[in-house]
Amino acid sequence: MSALSTTPTDPAVLRQAFGCFPSGVTALCALGPGGPMGMAASTFTPVSLRPPLVSVCVQDTSSTWPKLRTQSRLGLSVLAEEQDLVCRSLAGKGGDRFADVDWEASESGSVYIHGAGLWLDCSVHAEFPGGDHTIVLLEIHALRAEPDREPLVFHGSRFRRLAA
């Protein structure tokens, strides 16, 4: 292994370094006044069992998060291995992000993506500044898990599948 880089502030170097760590991909969605709204987030982490908390990190430049954070309930869906197109749609910057996405909404306004391996009904518990992102703690109120469904994995700036 070569010496450590002395320029960890270079965004391209950091993006490449962070890409060495595989992550799952989630959709964070809610039903707003104009219909479903949502975004993709690959910085999802289970945090606590008591209280039940998870975290996501949201770019401070996001135009979707300010709308989502005002909703009383949010649906978090952990996307399954065949849902890379769903992720690309929800990560899009324009148009109808839900045009080709199969979804449903709960009575509380949480929106879930069909075919996902996990659905979490959440509310915002706390937010913390984290550089150019906001770290959002979400409290889990209800869930539905399908542990046999393989997750969508993001690694090295591309989608991958787990191998047995």
Side-chain angles (χ1 to χ4, degrees):
M1 184 173 207
S2 61
L4 296 176
S5 171
T6 58
T7 58
T9 56
D10 180 346
V13 171
L14 282 170
R15 189 171 287 110
Q16 183 182 34
F18 293 164
C20 292
F21 183 74
S23 64
V25 183
T26 65
L28 190 58
C29 308
L31 199 56
M37 55 186 169
M39 59 191 287
S42 63
T43 52
F44 165 78
T45 305
V47 174
S48 171
L49 297 176
R50 291 188 185 170
L53 300 173
V54 296
S55 71
V56 293
C57 294
V58 179
Q59 284 184 338
D60 290 340
T61 58
S62 171
S63 60
T64 305
W65 177 242
K67 298 171 192 168
L68 286 172
R69 71 184 301 276
T70 64
Q71 303 303 305
S72 61
R73 290 294 174 95
L74 302 170
L76 188 138
S77 301
V78 175
L79 300 181
E81 68 180 353
E82 69 280 354
Q83 293 184 305
D84 51 316
L85 294 178
V86 169
C87 180
R88 289 188 195 285
S89 181
L90 293 174
K93 297 293 183 198
D96 181 0
R97 292 181 180 180
F98 287 85
D100 296 318
V101 175
D102 192 14
W103 60 276
E104 71 179 76
S106 71
E107 289 182 20
S108 66
S110 297
V111 170
Y112 305 105
I113 307 302
H114 284 197
L118 176 63
W119 288 356
L120 299 176
D121 178 48
C122 303
S123 63
V124 175
H125 181 76
E127 295 180 71
F128 305 95
D132 58 2
H133 281 65
T134 298
I135 303 162
V136 182
L137 288 180
L138 299 170
E139 184 170 354
I140 302 167
H141 301 285
L143 64 86
R144 184 180 106 192
E146 295 190 29
D148 292 333
R149 194 173 298 268
E150 297 294 333
L152 181 62
V153 176
F154 194 70
H155 177 257
S157 296
R158 61 184 232 216
F159 295 112
R160 302 187 189 250
R161 289 176 168 75
L162 297 178

